[in-house]
Amino acid sequence: MKETKKNHSIKIEKGQTFPLTIKRLGINGEGVGYFKRQVVFVPGALPGEEVLVEATKIQPKFAEGKVKKIRKQSPFRVKPPCPIYEECGGCQLQHLAYAQQLKEKRDIVIQSLERHTKLALNKLDIRDTIGMAEPWNYRNKSQFQVGQQKNGKVIAGLYGLDSHRLIPIQNCMVQHPLTNKVSEGVQQILEDLQIPIYDERKRKGIVRTIVTRAGFSSGEVQVVLITTQKEVPRKKLLMAEIQKRLPEVKSLVQNINGNKTSLIFGEKTIHLSGEEVIQETLGDLSFELSARAFFQLNPVQTVKLYDEVKQAAGLTGKEKIADAYCGVGTIGMWLAAGASEVRGMDTIESAIIDANENAIKHGITNATYVTGTAEHWLPKWVNEGWRPDVIVVDPPRTGCDKKLLDAIKQVKPKKFVYVSCNPSTLAKDISYLAKDYHVEYIQPVDMFPHTAHVECVAKLTLI
């Protein structure tokens, strides 16, 4: 009890102001410092800065604060080029010079390993982050909520940080210019035709979200209008105006989501006009993207990421590869030419159908894809006499399922290549495999410049 009282006496109170030295960046891109041994997270503050902070939120294990004054500024602080950077919250690091962002992202990976593993980090090869030559206009897809101002003007954008205030976004600097142009064009057409816009508070209206995806190589654009119901007034006129004013839109789709939910897409999708898919290429592979198909958001960096996977797999033409969480088969097909056989699995049946069709389309005869979990298929294949030399995983942010990691321990491939979009779950999963696998290296890749996200390719070899 004494210990609790002692800590209690130095507790930070809401509204209190105090000086803070920022030690590092947190996993969400915020500055992290310590005041009287209590951790404080400060959005917008940078490592090395001395700031005056006002406490805004007090939690049992940490506090959150806002910068009142910067007393000593980081030499890497820059003016964010985006006019709505601080309101929008879609990017977290535009105020940090890009070369330094890459260094801090490597540090975020190191912090995760320190927190979640007992690995000797001084002996671990954690490489410099692979960045972009042009770290702007890289996103191929935007999902903008639609709203209407009192004067009838239709706006589209993102909800502000921790609020339900819609921030209109006209020219997002990280989006491909085509997605910006088309989103703005569609919102103008909705306004001109006076099509009812959904009001979240009143739960009335029809059009909720404009989803726009551009093929970097093809220049084709797909628009998905998310509506609360199937019937849309003046729908035929809407389709005709989009075709007339926005000729780059090759695919127009409607998705119905009438639920009170933060999820963008509903269950039912209707093809309205043009093609059902748009074309995109990665390296030598071409893909047909339907409205619901998952595809990497930064095609330029995806090629670098997949080449890192190929390098980590170290293929000689003889290897059997298992591709877990394979999605539409992109990674497996990237590796197929250097392997004897690729087998992929995913629990989403539509993705597996796409993966097999993609393989046939590309003339890849040594890749097959099946529906189900890796923990089901891997032991089954081993029992049938097929044992993978390399297992590649690209799991969601939550990391690998424990059953999959147990299956890997049981199957014991010589190499395990882990593609991660979350350093914390990567570290936890590596730690779980530490008795069986040695971490050869971790290669961070910057897929989302100016945000706090960092992807990694980790190469593990059987001990």
Side-chain angles (χ1 to χ4, degrees):
M1 287 300 291
K2 281 181 183 170
E3 187 62 34
T4 319
K5 278 187 176 169
K6 191 175 143 194
N7 281 346
H8 195 69
S9 65
I10 57 159
K11 213 152 177 60
I12 300 168
E13 290 180 10
K14 189 174 177 180
Q16 183 180 342
T17 58
F18 49 90
L20 197 69
T21 300
I22 304 300
K23 300 290 186 191
R24 55 188 169 83
L25 273 192
I27 200 135
N28 299 310
E30 69 283 69
V32 181
Y34 296 87
F35 182 68
K36 297 190 174 169
R37 310 220 323 235
Q38 194 163 1
V39 67
V40 185
F41 296 110
V42 188
L46 295 173
E49 291 190 329
E50 291 169 15
V51 291
L52 188 67
V53 168
E54 181 188 323
T56 53
K57 242 187 220 170
I58 310 298
Q59 305 285 3
K61 291 189 173 175
F62 62 91
E64 291 175 35
K66 65 178 179 186
V67 176
K68 296 291 284 180
K69 188 180 181 188
I70 300 174
R71 288 176 167 166
K72 181 186 166 198
Q73 186 171 297
S74 163
F76 305 111
R77 181 176 280 277
V78 294
K79 188 179 182 327
C82 173
I84 55 164
Y85 169 60
E86 282 170 16
E87 288 177 85
C88 162
C91 298
Q92 301 84 43
L93 296 177
Q94 280 194 22
H95 62 296
L96 180 60
Y98 185 60
Q100 194 62 23
Q101 286 182 32
L102 299 178
K103 289 182 180 170
E104 295 296 347
K105 289 189 180 193
R106 179 179 180 270
D107 188 59
I108 286 171
V109 176
I110 292 169
Q111 285 176 51
S112 297
L113 293 163
E114 282 171 346
R115 198 172 303 128
H116 302 295
T117 77
K118 294 191 169 114
L119 297 172
L121 295 191
N122 56 338
K123 292 179 184 166
L124 197 56
D125 180 7
I126 302 165
R127 298 179 174 180
D128 290 342
T129 310
I130 295 171
M132 292 191 80
E134 293 293 330
W136 301 101
N137 302 121
Y138 59 79
R139 281 182 69 103
N140 61 6
K141 187 180 186 182
S142 64
Q143 299 183 150
F144 287 165
Q145 308 306 321
V146 189
Q148 195 154 23
Q149 295 174 329
K150 288 196 173 81
N151 61 5
K153 182 169 173 57
V154 173
I155 58 170
L158 300 173
Y159 288 115
L161 269 178
D162 301 326
S163 85
H164 260 277
R165 190 167 69 87
L166 192 61
I167 310 290
I169 298 174
Q170 286 184 303
N171 184 22
C172 177
M173 297 181 71
V174 296
Q175 286 289 349
H176 189 286
L178 273 176
T179 69
N180 283 325
K181 181 194 169 195
V182 168
S183 295
E184 203 170 340
V186 171
Q187 86 195 45
Q188 188 60 54
I189 292 166
L190 293 171
E191 185 182 313
D192 293 349
L193 300 183
Q194 297 183 335
I195 287 169
I197 301 303
Y198 183 65
D199 182 319
E200 201 185 30
R201 285 197 182 85
K202 296 180 185 166
R203 296 208 58 200
K204 284 185 176 165
I206 294 174
V207 180
R208 293 176 78 141
T209 313
I210 302 168
V211 180
T212 311
R213 176 147 61 181
F216 273 41
S217 58
S218 64
E220 296 176 354
V221 179
Q222 183 174 62
V223 171
V224 186
L225 293 175
I226 314 282
T227 60
T228 54
Q229 60 185 52
K230 185 180 175 183
E231 292 72 32
V232 177
R234 299 173 285 289
K235 191 195 262 189
K236 285 219 162 88
L237 188 54
L238 170 66
M239 287 155 57
E241 283 300 305
I242 289 175
Q243 266 179 329
K244 187 170 93 183
R245 298 193 210 177
L246 300 163
E248 51 275 271
V249 176
K250 300 294 183 222
S251 173
L252 182 59
V253 176
Q254 180 186 0
N255 175 272
I256 298 154
N257 185 356
N259 300 328
K260 188 176 191 219
T261 172
S262 58
L263 294 173
I264 301 278
F265 281 89
E267 291 298 310
K268 191 167 173 57
T269 303
I270 304 163
H271 172 238
L272 294 180
S273 68
E275 304 294 326
E276 291 200 23
V277 294
I278 59 166
Q279 305 294 326
E280 182 60 297
T281 58
L282 285 178
D284 298 331
L285 303 175
S286 61
F287 296 91
E288 295 184 339
L289 305 181
S290 60
R292 299 296 305 274
F294 169 78
F295 196 71
Q296 291 277 5
L297 293 168
N298 182 340
V300 174
Q301 288 298 86
T302 299
V303 170
K304 293 182 192 174
L305 182 78
Y306 289 176
D307 279 345
E308 285 301 321
V309 175
K310 191 184 279 185
Q311 198 172 331
L315 303 176
T316 63
K318 294 174 186 166
E319 288 80 6
K320 299 185 189 83
I321 298 176
D323 178 12
Y325 304 100
C326 67
V328 296
T330 38
I331 291 180
M333 287 189 282
W334 202 262
L335 304 177
S340 75
E341 190 183 351
V342 176
R343 293 186 183 184
M345 74 291 281
D346 201 301
T347 52
I348 299 162
E349 196 174 350
S350 60
I352 292 299
I353 292 167
D354 284 350
N356 282 311
E357 282 177 2
N358 282 331
I360 290 164
K361 188 178 82 178
H362 289 100
I364 296 169
T365 54
N366 62 338
T368 48
Y369 296 93
V370 288
T371 308
T373 61
E375 58 269 21
H376 165 76
W377 284 105
L378 287 171
K380 187 177 186 313
W381 289 336
V382 169
N383 289 339
E384 291 166 2
W386 191 88
R387 185 182 290 276
D389 303 292
V390 183
I391 293 180
V392 180
V393 295
D394 184 7
R397 287 193 65 75
T398 46
C400 291
D401 192 295
K402 185 174 173 287
K403 288 178 185 164
L404 166 60
L405 296 175
D406 288 334
I408 287 166
K409 284 182 171 190
Q410 187 191 337
V411 172
K412 291 188 168 29
K414 295 186 200 84
K415 289 177 200 157
F416 176 48
V417 182
Y418 191 138
V419 184
S420 160
C421 60
N422 182 344
S424 299
T425 50
L426 170 68
K428 288 174 190 172
D429 291 348
I430 282 176
S431 184
Y432 189 69
L433 293 172
K435 284 184 181 149
D436 301 271
Y437 282 87
H438 164 68
V439 181
E440 284 214 7
Y441 65 81
I442 296 174
Q443 174 63 69
V445 180
D446 189 21
M447 299 291 283
F448 300 104
H450 313 295
T451 77
H453 290 289
V454 56
E455 320 277 309
C456 293
V457 176
K459 179 182 181 179
L460 283 75
T461 48
L462 193 62
I463 293 170

